[in-house]
Coordinates of all heavy atoms in Angstrom, one line a residue:
M1 N -1.4 15.1 -1.5 CA -1.8 16.4 -2.0 C -1.7 17.4 -0.9 O -2.1 17.2 0.3 CB -3.3 16.3 -2.5 CG -3.8 17.6 -3.0 SD -5.5 17.4 -3.7 CE -6.4 17.5 -2.2
C2 N -1.2 18.6 -1.2 CA -1.1 19.7 -0.3 C -2.5 20.2 0.0 O -3.2 20.5 -1.0 CB -0.2 20.8 -0.8 SG -0.2 22.2 0.2
Q3 N -2.9 20.4 1.2 CA -4.2 20.8 1.5 C -4.4 22.3 1.4 O -5.5 22.8 1.5 CB -4.6 20.4 3.0 CG -4.6 18.9 3.2 CD -5.7 18.3 2.4 OE1 -6.8 18.8 2.3 NE2 -5.4 17.1 1.8
I4 N -3.3 23.0 1.1 CA -3.5 24.5 0.9 C -3.5 24.8 -0.5 O -4.4 25.5 -1.0 CB -2.3 25.2 1.7 CG1 -2.5 25.0 3.2 CG2 -2.3 26.7 1.3 CD1 -1.5 25.7 4.0
C5 N -2.5 24.4 -1.3 CA -2.5 24.8 -2.7 C -3.1 23.7 -3.6 O -3.2 23.9 -4.8 CB -1.0 25.1 -3.2 SG 0.1 23.7 -3.1
R6 N -3.6 22.6 -3.0 CA -4.3 21.6 -3.7 C -3.4 21.0 -4.8 O -3.9 20.5 -5.8 CB -5.6 22.1 -4.3 CG -6.5 22.6 -3.3 CD -7.1 21.5 -2.6 NE -8.0 21.9 -1.4 CZ -8.6 21.1 -0.6 NH1 -8.4 19.8 -0.8 NH2 -9.3 21.5 0.4
R7 N -2.1 21.1 -4.6 CA -1.2 20.5 -5.6 C -0.9 19.1 -5.3 O -0.7 18.8 -4.1 CB 0.0 21.4 -5.6 CG 1.0 21.1 -6.7 CD 2.0 22.2 -6.8 NE 2.7 22.4 -5.5 CZ 3.8 21.7 -5.1 NH1 4.3 20.7 -5.9 NH2 4.4 21.9 -4.0
T8 N -0.8 18.2 -6.2 CA -0.4 16.9 -6.0 C 1.2 16.9 -5.8 O 1.9 17.4 -6.7 CB -0.7 16.0 -7.2 OG1 -2.1 16.0 -7.3 CG2 -0.2 14.6 -6.9
L9 N 1.6 16.4 -4.7 CA 3.0 16.4 -4.4 C 3.8 15.4 -5.3 O 3.3 14.3 -5.5 CB 3.3 16.2 -2.9 CG 2.6 17.1 -2.0 CD1 2.9 16.8 -0.6 CD2 3.0 18.6 -2.3
L10 N 5.0 15.8 -5.7 CA 5.7 15.0 -6.6 C 6.5 14.0 -5.7 O 6.8 14.2 -4.6 CB 6.7 15.8 -7.4 CG 6.0 16.9 -8.2 CD1 7.1 17.8 -8.8 CD2 5.1 16.4 -9.2
A11 N 6.9 12.9 -6.4 CA 7.7 11.9 -5.8 C 9.0 12.5 -5.3 O 9.7 13.2 -6.0 CB 8.0 10.7 -6.7
G12 N 9.3 12.2 -4.0 CA 10.6 12.7 -3.4 C 10.4 14.1 -2.8 O 11.3 14.6 -2.2
E13 N 9.3 14.7 -3.0 CA 9.1 16.1 -2.4 C 8.8 16.0 -0.9 O 8.3 15.0 -0.4 CB 7.8 16.7 -3.1 CG 7.7 18.2 -2.8 CD 6.7 18.8 -3.7 OE1 6.2 18.2 -4.6 OE2 6.4 20.0 -3.5
R14 N 9.3 17.0 -0.2 CA 9.2 17.0 1.2 C 7.8 17.6 1.6 O 7.3 18.5 1.0 CB 10.3 17.8 1.9 CG 11.7 17.2 1.7 CD 12.7 18.0 2.4 NE 12.7 19.4 2.0 CZ 13.3 20.4 2.6 NH1 14.0 20.2 3.6 NH2 13.3 21.6 2.1
Y15 N 7.3 17.2 2.7 CA 6.1 17.8 3.2 C 6.1 17.5 4.7 O 6.8 16.7 5.3 CB 4.9 17.2 2.6 CG 4.6 15.8 2.9 CD1 3.8 15.4 3.9 CD2 5.2 14.8 2.1 CE1 3.6 14.1 4.2 CE2 5.0 13.4 2.4 CZ 4.2 13.1 3.4 OH 4.0 11.8 3.7
R16 N 5.3 18.3 5.4 CA 5.1 18.0 6.8 C 3.6 18.0 7.1 O 2.8 18.5 6.3 CB 5.8 19.0 7.7 CG 7.3 18.7 7.7 CD 8.1 19.4 8.7 NE 8.2 20.8 8.5 CZ 9.1 21.6 9.0 NH1 10.0 21.1 9.9 NH2 9.2 22.9 8.7
T17 N 3.3 17.5 8.3 CA 1.9 17.5 8.7 C 1.6 18.6 9.6 O 2.3 18.8 10.6 CB 1.6 16.1 9.3 OG1 1.9 15.1 8.4 CG2 0.1 16.0 9.7
W18 N 0.6 19.3 9.4 CA 0.1 20.4 10.2 C -1.3 20.1 10.7 O -2.0 19.5 10.0 CB 0.2 21.8 9.5 CG 1.6 22.2 9.2 CD1 2.4 21.6 8.3 CD2 2.3 23.3 9.7 NE1 3.6 22.3 8.2 CE2 3.5 23.4 9.1 CE3 1.9 24.3 10.6 CZ2 4.5 24.4 9.4 CZ3 2.8 25.3 10.9 CH2 4.1 25.4 10.3
R19 N -1.6 20.6 11.8 CA -3.0 20.4 12.3 C -3.8 21.7 12.4 O -3.3 22.7 13.0 CB -2.9 19.7 13.7 CG -4.3 19.5 14.3 CD -4.1 18.9 15.7 NE -3.6 17.6 15.7 CZ -4.4 16.5 15.7 NH1 -5.7 16.6 15.7 NH2 -3.9 15.3 15.6
W20 N -4.9 21.7 11.8 CA -5.8 22.8 12.0 C -7.2 22.2 11.7 O -7.4 21.2 11.1 CB -5.5 24.0 11.2 CG -5.8 24.0 9.8 CD1 -7.0 24.4 9.2 CD2 -4.9 23.6 8.7 NE1 -6.8 24.3 7.8 CE2 -5.6 23.8 7.5 CE3 -3.6 23.1 8.7 CZ2 -5.0 23.5 6.3 CZ3 -3.0 22.9 7.5 CH2 -3.7 23.0 6.3
A21 N -8.2 23.0 12.2 CA -9.6 22.5 12.0 C -9.7 21.1 12.6 O -10.5 20.3 12.1 CB -10.0 22.6 10.6
R22 N -9.0 20.8 13.6 CA -9.0 19.5 14.3 C -8.7 18.4 13.3 O -9.2 17.3 13.5 CB -10.4 19.3 14.9 CG -10.5 20.1 16.2 CD -11.8 19.8 16.9 NE -12.8 20.9 16.8 CZ -14.1 20.7 17.0 NH1 -14.6 19.5 17.4 NH2 -14.9 21.7 16.9
R23 N -7.9 18.7 12.3 CA -7.5 17.6 11.4 C -6.0 17.7 11.1 O -5.5 18.8 11.1 CB -8.3 17.7 10.1 CG -9.8 17.3 10.2 CD -10.4 17.3 8.9 NE -9.7 16.3 8.0 CZ -9.9 16.3 6.7 NH1 -10.6 17.2 6.1 NH2 -9.2 15.5 5.9
D24 N -5.4 16.6 10.9 CA -4.0 16.6 10.4 C -4.0 16.8 8.9 O -4.7 16.0 8.2 CB -3.3 15.3 10.8 CG -3.0 15.2 12.2 OD1 -3.2 16.2 12.9 OD2 -2.7 14.1 12.7
Q25 N -3.3 17.8 8.4 CA -3.3 18.1 7.0 C -1.9 18.1 6.4 O -1.0 18.5 7.1 CB -3.9 19.5 6.8 CG -5.1 19.8 7.7 CD -6.4 19.8 7.0 OE1 -6.6 19.2 6.0 NE2 -7.4 20.5 7.6
T26 N -1.8 17.6 5.2 CA -0.5 17.6 4.5 C -0.3 19.0 3.9 O -1.1 19.5 3.3 CB -0.6 16.5 3.4 OG1 -0.8 15.2 4.0 CG2 0.8 16.5 2.7
V27 N 0.9 19.5 4.2 CA 1.2 20.8 3.7 C 2.6 20.8 3.0 O 3.6 20.3 3.7 CB 1.3 21.9 4.8 CG1 1.7 23.2 4.3 CG2 -0.1 22.0 5.5
C28 N 2.7 21.2 1.8 CA 4.0 21.2 1.1 C 4.9 22.3 1.7 O 4.4 23.2 2.5 CB 3.8 21.4 -0.4 SG 3.3 23.0 -0.9
V29 N 6.2 22.2 1.4 CA 7.2 23.1 2.0 C 6.8 24.6 1.6 O 7.0 25.5 2.5 CB 8.6 22.8 1.5 CG1 9.6 23.8 2.1 CG2 8.9 21.4 1.9
V30 N 6.4 24.8 0.4 CA 6.1 26.1 0.0 C 5.0 26.8 0.8 O 5.0 28.0 1.0 CB 5.7 26.1 -1.5 CG1 5.3 27.5 -2.0 CG2 6.8 25.5 -2.3
C31 N 4.0 26.0 1.2 CA 2.8 26.5 1.9 C 3.0 26.6 3.4 O 2.1 27.0 4.1 CB 1.6 25.7 1.5 SG 1.1 25.8 -0.2
E32 N 4.1 26.1 3.9 CA 4.2 26.1 5.4 C 4.0 27.5 6.0 O 3.4 27.6 7.0 CB 5.6 25.5 5.8 CG 5.6 24.0 5.6 CD 6.7 23.4 6.4 OE1 7.7 24.1 6.7 OE2 6.6 22.2 6.7
P33 N 4.6 28.6 5.4 CA 4.4 29.9 6.0 C 2.9 30.3 6.0 O 2.4 30.9 7.0 CB 5.2 30.9 5.1 CG 6.2 30.0 4.5 CD 5.5 28.6 4.3
V34 N 2.2 29.8 5.0 CA 0.7 30.1 4.9 C 0.0 29.4 6.1 O -0.8 29.9 6.7 CB 0.2 29.7 3.6 CG1 -1.3 29.9 3.5 CG2 0.9 30.4 2.4
A35 N 0.4 28.1 6.2 CA -0.2 27.3 7.3 C 0.0 28.0 8.7 O -0.9 28.1 9.5 CB 0.3 25.9 7.3
H36 N 1.2 28.4 8.8 CA 1.6 29.0 10.1 C 0.8 30.3 10.4 O 0.3 30.5 11.5 CB 3.1 29.3 10.1 CG 3.6 29.8 11.4 ND1 3.7 28.9 12.5 CD2 4.1 31.0 11.8 CE1 4.1 29.7 13.6 NE2 4.4 30.9 13.2
K37 N 0.7 31.1 9.4 CA -0.1 32.3 9.5 C -1.5 32.0 9.8 O -2.2 32.8 10.5 CB 0.0 33.1 8.2 CG 1.2 34.1 8.2 CD 1.1 35.0 7.0 CE 2.3 36.0 6.9 NZ 2.2 36.8 5.7
A38 N -2.0 30.9 9.3 CA -3.4 30.6 9.4 C -3.7 30.0 10.8 O -4.8 29.7 11.2 CB -3.8 29.6 8.4
G39 N -2.6 29.9 11.6 CA -2.8 29.4 13.0 C -2.6 27.9 13.1 O -2.9 27.3 14.2
A40 N -2.2 27.2 12.1 CA -2.0 25.8 12.1 C -0.8 25.5 13.0 O 0.1 26.3 13.2 CB -1.7 25.2 10.7
V41 N -0.8 24.3 13.6 CA 0.2 23.8 14.5 C 0.9 22.7 13.8 O 0.3 21.7 13.4 CB -0.3 23.4 15.8 CG1 0.8 22.8 16.7 CG2 -1.0 24.6 16.5
R42 N 2.3 22.7 13.7 CA 3.0 21.6 13.1 C 3.0 20.4 14.0 O 3.3 20.5 15.2 CB 4.4 22.1 12.8 CG 5.1 21.3 11.7 CD 6.4 21.9 11.3 NE 7.3 21.8 12.4 CZ 8.2 22.8 12.8 NH1 8.2 23.9 12.1 NH2 9.0 22.7 13.8
V43 N 2.7 19.3 13.4 CA 2.5 18.1 14.2 C 3.9 17.4 14.4 O 4.2 16.9 15.5 CB 1.6 17.1 13.5 CG1 1.5 15.8 14.3 CG2 0.2 17.7 13.4
V44 N 4.7 17.4 13.4 CA 6.0 16.8 13.5 C 7.1 17.7 13.0 O 6.9 18.6 12.2 CB 6.0 15.5 12.6 CG1 5.2 14.4 13.2 CG2 5.6 15.8 11.2
D45 N 8.3 17.5 13.5 CA 9.4 18.3 13.1 C 10.1 17.8 11.9 O 10.6 18.5 11.1 CB 10.4 18.4 14.3 CG 10.0 19.3 15.4 OD1 9.2 20.3 15.1 OD2 10.4 19.1 16.5
V46 N 10.1 16.5 11.8 CA 10.8 15.9 10.6 C 10.0 16.0 9.4 O 8.8 15.9 9.4 CB 11.2 14.4 10.9 CG1 12.2 14.3 12.0 CG2 9.9 13.6 11.2
Y47 N 10.7 16.1 8.3 CA 10.0 16.1 7.0 C 9.8 14.7 6.6 O 10.5 13.8 6.9 CB 10.9 16.7 5.9 CG 11.0 18.2 6.0 CD1 12.1 18.9 6.5 CD2 9.9 19.0 5.5 CE1 12.1 20.3 6.6 CE2 10.0 20.4 5.5 CZ 11.1 21.0 6.1 OH 11.1 22.4 6.1
E48 N 8.7 14.5 5.9 CA 8.4 13.2 5.3 C 8.6 13.4 3.8 O 8.5 14.5 3.3 CB 7.0 12.7 5.6 CG 6.8 12.5 7.1 CD 5.4 12.0 7.4 OE1 5.2 10.8 7.1 OE2 4.6 12.7 7.9
Y49 N 8.8 12.3 3.1 CA 9.0 12.4 1.7 C 8.0 11.6 1.0 O 7.6 10.5 1.4 CB 10.4 11.8 1.3 CG 11.5 12.7 1.8 CD1 12.0 12.6 3.1 CD2 12.1 13.6 0.9 CE1 13.1 13.4 3.5 CE2 13.2 14.4 1.3 CZ 13.6 14.3 2.6 OH 14.7 15.1 3.1
V50 N 7.5 12.1 -0.1 CA 6.6 11.4 -1.0 C 7.3 10.2 -1.6 O 8.4 10.4 -2.2 CB 6.0 12.3 -2.1 CG1 5.1 11.5 -3.0 CG2 5.3 13.5 -1.5
Q51 N 6.8 9.0 -1.4 CA 7.4 7.8 -1.9 C 7.3 7.8 -3.4 O 6.2 8.0 -4.0 CB 6.7 6.6 -1.3 CG 6.8 6.6 0.2 CD 8.3 6.5 0.7 OE1 9.0 5.7 0.2 NE2 8.6 7.3 1.7
A52 N 8.4 7.4 -4.0 CA 8.3 7.2 -5.5 C 7.6 5.9 -5.8 O 7.9 4.9 -5.2 CB 9.8 7.2 -6.0
G53 N 6.8 6.0 -6.8 CA 6.1 4.8 -7.2 C 5.0 4.4 -6.2 O 5.0 4.9 -5.1
G54 N 4.3 3.4 -6.5 CA 3.3 2.9 -5.6 C 2.2 4.0 -5.4 O 2.3 5.1 -5.7
L55 N 1.1 3.5 -4.8 CA 0.0 4.4 -4.5 C 0.3 5.1 -3.2 O 0.4 4.5 -2.2 CB -1.3 3.6 -4.4 CG -1.7 2.8 -5.7 CD1 -2.8 1.9 -5.4 CD2 -2.0 3.7 -6.8
S56 N 0.4 6.4 -3.3 CA 0.8 7.2 -2.1 C -0.5 7.4 -1.3 O -1.5 7.8 -1.8 CB 1.4 8.5 -2.5 OG 0.5 9.3 -3.3
Q57 N -0.3 7.2 0.0 CA -1.4 7.5 0.9 C -1.0 8.9 1.5 O 0.2 9.1 1.8 CB -1.4 6.5 2.0 CG -2.0 5.2 1.5 CD -2.0 4.2 2.7 OE1 -1.0 3.5 3.0 NE2 -3.2 4.1 3.3
H58 N -1.9 9.7 1.6 CA -1.6 11.1 2.1 C -1.3 11.1 3.6 O -0.4 11.8 4.0 CB -2.8 12.0 1.8 CG -3.1 12.1 0.4 ND1 -4.3 12.0 -0.1 CD2 -2.3 12.3 -0.7 CE1 -4.3 12.2 -1.5 NE2 -3.0 12.3 -1.8
V59 N -1.9 10.3 4.3 CA -1.6 10.2 5.7 C -1.2 8.8 6.1 O -2.1 7.9 6.1 CB -2.8 10.6 6.6 CG1 -2.5 10.5 8.1 CG2 -3.3 12.0 6.2
R60 N 0.1 8.6 6.3 CA 0.5 7.2 6.6 C 0.6 7.0 8.1 O 0.9 5.9 8.6 CB 1.9 7.0 6.0 CG 1.8 6.9 4.5 CD 3.2 6.7 3.9 NE 4.0 7.9 3.9 CZ 5.1 7.9 4.7 NH1 5.5 6.9 5.3 NH2 5.8 9.1 4.7
R61 N 0.4 8.0 8.9 CA 0.7 7.9 10.3 C -0.6 7.8 11.1 O -0.8 8.2 12.2 CB 1.5 9.1 10.8 CG 2.8 9.3 10.1 CD 3.5 10.5 10.7 NE 2.7 11.7 10.6 CZ 2.1 12.2 11.6 NH1 2.1 11.7 12.8 NH2 1.4 13.3 11.4
V62 N -1.6 7.2 10.5 CA -2.9 7.0 11.1 C -2.8 6.2 12.4 O -3.2 6.6 13.4 CB -3.9 6.4 10.2 CG1 -5.3 6.3 10.9 CG2 -4.1 7.3 8.9
A63 N -2.2 5.1 12.2 CA -2.0 4.1 13.3 C -3.2 4.0 14.2 O -3.3 4.5 15.3 CB -0.8 4.6 14.2
Ligands
LIG101 ZN1 1.1 23.7 -0.9

């Protein structure tokens, strides 16, 4: 789910992880300018894709 527009991302949709409020947040492509304006910092350069099928975890890079 995009943390800005609260929309559930569709399978195959691109998103990236941005950090603000000391948390890593999922942001859809549409909302990236909003996140940037809000002072968020992009965590990764590469886009991630929502996996089709299966239970999607919002943050897979917890490690
Ligand atoms: Zn969004």
Side-chain angles (χ1 to χ4, degrees):
M1 182 178 77
C2 172
Q3 295 297 318
I4 293 181
C5 63
R6 298 288 173 183
R7 188 167 57 84
T8 300
L9 301 182
L10 305 173
E13 194 168 353
R14 294 183 304 170
Y15 66 94
R16 287 194 286 201
T17 304
W18 292 65
R19 178 184 290 269
W20 76 90
R22 284 186 254 164
R23 289 186 58 197
D24 286 351
Q25 320 253 24
T26 299
V27 177
C28 71
V29 178
V30 178
C31 292
E32 287 199 334
V34 180
H36 186 68
K37 271 190 181 177
V41 177
R42 202 172 64 223
V43 178
V44 288
D45 284 332
V46 293
Y47 284 102
E48 296 184 74
Y49 291 84
V50 178
Q51 301 297 312
L55 299 172
S56 62
Q57 289 179 276
H58 299 132
V59 179
R60 287 181 290 115
R61 302 179 304 101
V62 176

